[in-house]
Amino acid sequence: EKPSLEARCGMMKLLIELEQLDEAEEFGSGLLEVDDQYLETWYLLALVHFNRNNYSAAHQCTSAALKVLGSEGVEDEEQATRIQELHDEIEKNGGGEEMEEE
């Protein structure tokens, strides 16, 4: 039996703190294949891209997270705030500009 998504996001968080961003990204992509509605995975992946100054990829992740929040509703205020703050920060850094034609 595999560890819970929560436990696996904990591992991903650790990889980010250790600046193992390639591993964290690979790990996160794998988690999305398991469940692409799990907010923390999107948030952590956005963080990985943000730390690499890859703002358009980060923006796609926070946008996906906000879309999940929109359809599932907010269960965790603190988490929703964290996602929104990161999203705003990414937009300040120019993330999302090339996405406007959608």
Side-chain angles (χ1 to χ4, degrees), residues 18-32:
L18 296 169
E19 292 179 15
Q20 307 281 324
L21 298 180
D22 290 346
E23 289 86 347
E25 182 181 358
E26 204 173 303
F27 200 75
S29 299
L31 292 184
L32 285 181

Side-chain angles (χ1 to χ4, degrees), residues 3-39:
S4 68
L5 279 170
E6 199 175 335
R8 288 190 271 177
C9 277
M11 284 172 67
M12 193 175 159
K13 214 174 275 179
L14 206 56
L15 288 169
I16 294 170
E17 283 166 17
L18 296 169
E19 292 179 15
Q20 307 281 324
L21 298 180
D22 290 346
E23 289 86 347
E25 182 181 358
E26 204 173 303
F27 200 75
S29 299
L31 292 184
L32 285 181
E33 286 170 24
V34 177
D35 181 357
D36 67 357
Q37 300 291 298
Y38 195 67
L39 288 170

Side-chain angles (χ1 to χ4, degrees), residues 37-44 64-66 68-69 73 79-80 83:
Q37 300 291 298
Y38 195 67
L39 288 170
E40 194 65 10
T41 308
W42 284 117
Y43 173 74
L44 292 171
L66 291 170
V68 172
L69 274 172
Q79 183 185 48
I83 292 167

